[in-house]
Amino acid sequence: MLKLSYKIMLREYLSPILETIKIILLALLIVMPIRYFLFQPFIVKGQSMEPGVVSGDYLIVDEITYRFREPVRGEVIVFKYPFNPSHRYIKRIIGLPGEKVEIRNGKVYINGKPLNESTYLPPGTETPGEIEMVLRENEYFVLGDNRIASADSRTWGPLPRKNIIGRAIIRAWPLDALAKFSAPFYQF
């Protein structure tokens, strides 16, 4: 009789613990694939994307979209820095494969036509540098929105497609700055 009550007590004691372990394992089985294959958090460090994205912003990065389509001009992306893939950068796509990108007199030109960046850059923003390059297949030209404080394609050249992790889709933190990212419409 004592043996039976001991087993019942042990089962009653362990039952909530086992149930908790099951819930944790199930949550991990659901969350981990989402975290590692679909969406990834990214905390911004630095000033290169100000004023739209500031240091300390917590972004959600969509890692799946670019498996089904190519990146689009104007999208804010997170990528592996070409010269040190362990570092992650955030920039905006300006030039697409096959395009001629020029920077002259503080303005950006795509295939000889000026790029209107008024939807995300403060009025009067100029882009320092004098550059002319034609992007090859699977190469992108990226710039930070804070053109003076950004190390980008002007410094280290085109970004290889294979280095792109994903596109920023939501600023989740701080809550008062919650926002969805979308690519602006460009008219040439």
Side-chain angles (χ1 to χ4, degrees):
M1 185 80 140
L2 186 60
K3 243 183 185 182
L4 185 60
S5 71
Y6 176 73
K7 284 183 178 180
I8 292 171
M9 283 179 36
L10 186 60
R11 191 176 313 141
E12 286 178 6
Y13 176 75
L14 289 178
S15 181
I17 294 171
L18 290 174
E19 200 59 37
T20 303
I21 290 171
K22 285 181 196 176
I23 290 170
I24 290 171
L25 287 174
L26 184 60
L28 287 174
L29 285 172
I30 294 169
V31 170
M32 295 307 278
I34 291 171
R35 162 62 175 85
Y36 285 102
F37 300 110
L38 302 176
F39 301 101
Q40 184 178 128
F42 179 78
I43 298 174
V44 177
K45 294 179 185 166
Q47 305 170 337
S48 73
M49 289 299 291
E50 289 181 356
V53 179
V54 299
S55 194
D57 281 357
Y58 185 91
L59 309 178
I60 303 299
V61 176
D62 166 12
E63 294 182 332
I64 196 163
T65 295
Y66 294 154
R67 294 179 190 174
F68 301 104
R69 71 161 174 84
E70 292 302 310
V72 173
R73 183 184 338 279
E75 289 181 320
V76 175
I77 62 167
V78 173
F79 58 91
K80 298 173 193 169
Y81 175 55
F83 296 109
N84 186 347
S86 67
H87 289 105
R88 306 292 188 254
Y89 276 33
I90 180 170
K91 305 289 178 210
R92 186 178 301 276
I93 295 176
I94 301 298
L96 304 172
E99 293 182 332
K100 180 180 179 183
V101 179
E102 294 176 81
I103 299 174
R104 63 178 189 272
N105 302 321
K107 303 281 183 224
V108 177
Y109 296 86
I110 304 295
N111 295 327
K113 297 178 181 168
L115 183 66
N116 180 356
E117 299 182 276
S118 62
T119 58
Y120 52 86
L121 292 181
T125 299
E126 291 195 354
T127 304
E130 297 290 322
I131 291 176
E132 184 177 316
M133 75 171 62
V134 176
L135 299 169
R136 291 182 286 187
E137 187 177 341
N138 294 315
E139 287 185 339
Y140 294 83
F141 192 88
V142 296
L143 292 173
D145 289 354
N146 185 353
R147 301 292 162 83
I148 294 173
S150 180
D152 46 41
S153 289
R154 293 172 295 170
T155 308
W156 37 261
L159 174 69
R161 169 70 170 87
K162 67 181 181 181
N163 288 49
I164 298 175
I165 294 169
R167 65 188 180 109
I169 56 171
I170 296 172
R171 178 185 9 247
W173 188 263
L175 287 177
D176 64 338
L178 184 69
K180 180 182 176 205
F181 292 95
S182 59
F185 175 74
Y186 295 96
Q187 194 169 17
F188 287 102

